[in-house]
Amino acid sequence: MRALWLALCALARLWPETLAGCAEAGRCCPGRDPACFAHGWRLDRVYGTCFCDQACRLTGDCCFDYSRVCPARPCLVGEWSPWSGCAAQCRPAARVRRRPVQQEPQNGGAPCPPLEERAGCLEYSTAQGHDCGHAFAPAFITASAFHKERTRHTSSPQWSTGTEDPGYCMEFKTESLTHHCAMENRPLTRWMQYLREGYTVCVDCQPPAMNAASLRCSGDGLDSDGNQTLHWQALGNPRCQGTWKKVRRVEQCSCPAVHSFIFI
């Protein structure tokens, strides 16, 4: 390529008109545009009609100066916005955050990454401040990594900031799960891929998921005899659900991070 460039420069000194390209034509077009052309040398060493549209990179008929005149510029994005509130109260829903595009991709530059992320959530009070959200039969779970995020953005009116955290951990043996869990690949739901039949998992019960009166998390299965089949559902994808059986209650979870979850 360097040899070709030197040869073209030599031609430019002898016959300047032979090096007409994107710069002389003043063209630099997005996408595929057959009308975005010039006359001059192409990068494949053919002289004639050459193109200055983004698609010329794929078709191999760019003008020799395309890369210089139309440099690839990647998409640039800003910071994530704060998480929105939960879309509904007293039932599993979703929250969202977004980030703006500061520079659109140009001339074949890297495309924009995801501009929106959603995560499962469950509010524990109504708009009027009444406690709710603890009456669900199945256990709703999410990744343990979201515990701090959840505590910061969600609160129950029954818990004051000075309330001591009396949490506990439940161990379960996973009996079954739907195939939808393994199909999750979104950044905030990828943890569902680690749910496996026959594995022992830890689920942490902490405020605000813990009911202030009973000091229990909904669906914890604490009263079961260990043979009872209990149901769970992954928050963020209602089709990722399954069953497990209680193993025991412990004060602190000791499972590996990929097999550790929290009640919602």
Side-chain angles (χ1 to χ4, degrees):
M1 185 62 69
R2 179 176 176 81
L4 174 61
W5 178 256
L6 293 175
L8 291 175
C9 290
L11 284 173
R13 291 192 292 270
L14 296 174
W15 301 288
E17 69 278 2
T18 64
L19 275 184
C22 299
E24 183 171 314
R27 309 302 300 274
C28 190
C29 310
R32 182 181 296 276
D33 186 353
C36 188
F37 65 88
H39 294 285
W41 285 98
R42 299 186 343 196
L43 289 179
D44 58 3
R45 304 183 184 184
V46 174
Y47 183 83
T49 300
C50 59
F51 291 86
C52 305
D53 62 338
Q54 181 180 332
C56 75
R57 290 180 178 271
L58 298 176
T59 54
D61 51 9
C62 296
C63 295
F64 74 96
D65 62 349
Y66 175 80
S67 296
R68 176 175 59 83
V69 179
C70 308
R73 300 186 186 277
C75 174
L76 298 179
V77 297
E79 297 295 324
W80 287 108
S81 69
W83 283 104
S84 70
C86 211
Q89 288 80 40
C90 307
R91 63 183 179 84
R95 55 182 177 169
V96 64
R97 66 177 181 175
R98 299 181 176 89
R99 53 185 172 183
V101 175
Q102 297 180 333
Q103 174 181 281
E104 294 285 353
Q106 300 174 8
N107 309 321
C112 294
L115 302 176
E116 179 179 289
E117 285 187 344
R118 293 179 177 271
C121 60
L122 178 60
E123 293 286 1
Y124 293 89
S125 62
T126 65
Q128 294 73 34
H130 299 135
D131 186 61
C132 65
H134 297 281
F136 297 100
F140 288 93
I141 62 171
T142 190
S144 60
F146 295 138
H147 173 59
K148 292 182 180 179
E149 187 79 30
R150 176 188 63 169
T151 303
R152 183 164 58 250
H153 292 289
T154 309
S155 61
S156 170
Q158 295 192 25
W159 293 95
S160 66
T161 55
T163 300
E164 183 180 354
D165 182 352
Y168 60 92
C169 179
M170 295 297 301
E171 292 184 0
F172 299 96
K173 183 176 181 181
T174 308
E175 297 287 312
S176 66
L177 70 161
T178 61
H179 70 279
H180 300 94
C181 304
M183 297 172 62
E184 274 295 347
N185 198 37
R186 294 173 293 168
L188 294 174
T189 56
R190 195 171 293 135
W191 58 270
M192 299 178 193
Q193 295 182 358
Y194 296 102
L195 290 162
R196 294 285 192 275
E197 292 183 4
Y199 277 54
T200 296
V201 299
C202 294
V203 189
D204 209 5
C205 178
Q206 301 285 345
M210 181 185 293
N211 184 282
S214 67
L215 300 183
R216 295 270 302 276
C217 286
S218 177
D220 65 1
L222 187 60
D223 298 326
S224 67
D225 59 7
N227 292 318
Q228 182 180 353
T229 297
L230 307 169
H231 294 268
W232 57 266
Q233 180 178 313
L235 209 62
N237 179 2
R239 295 188 296 177
C240 176
Q241 53 186 278
T243 61
W244 55 29
K245 291 182 179 179
K246 183 189 76 173
V247 176
R248 60 174 179 163
R249 168 177 169 163
V250 293
E251 293 308 310
Q252 293 184 337
C253 292
S254 60
C255 295
V258 294
H259 299 306
S260 296
F261 309 98
I262 57 173
F263 287 105
I264 289 292

